[in-house]
Amino acid sequence: IATAMNKESSRSHSVFTVAMDLEEKGEDGKRMGRESRFDLVDLAGSERQKYSKAEGRHLREATNINRSLTAFGKVIMALAAGSKHVPYRDSKLTFLLKNSIGGNSK
């Protein structure tokens, strides 16, 4: 659904996850496994509610999008600061992407 600021806006985040598992026998005959996970993410942009002219359900959607983007920013700031506590659980988005954002991703 479009808003006054963006006529093409989908007003949602999209996450597509590809998980791969590889299992093979090593030279010693033991089974070895590897896991890989790729998260492809398209985040909805934030919009100033005052200018978007969103109302009702669309206003609640915009509020939730802005809230999740704020939570995402807080996670990035906590990781950059080396904080002991990273607030991944503040949003479904950050909880879902926890391993990609701050895990052992390379």
Side-chain angles (χ1 to χ4, degrees), residues 1 14 23 27 32 39 41 44 47 50 53 55 61-63 66-67 70-71 78 86 90 93 95 97 106:
I1 304 295
S14 298
E23 192 173 297
E27 291 179 16
M32 298 179 352
D39 290 312
V41 181
E47 293 182 353
K50 174 169 134 179
K53 299 182 181 168
E55 298 176 337
E61 287 174 359
T63 300
N66 289 344
R67 188 176 295 132
T70 299
V86 180
D90 285 359
L93 177 69
F95 187 73
L97 297 175
K106 296 178 181 159

Side-chain angles (χ1 to χ4, degrees), residues 17-21 36-38:
T17 302
V18 177
M20 296 185 303
D21 292 322
S36 293
R37 177 182 166 137
F38 301 95

Side-chain angles (χ1 to χ4, degrees), residues 67-68 71 74-75 85 87-95:
R67 188 176 295 132
S68 69
K74 287 180 179 179
V75 165
H85 173 70
Y88 292 112
R89 292 180 180 233
D90 285 359
S91 129
K92 289 179 186 176
L93 177 69
T94 55
F95 187 73

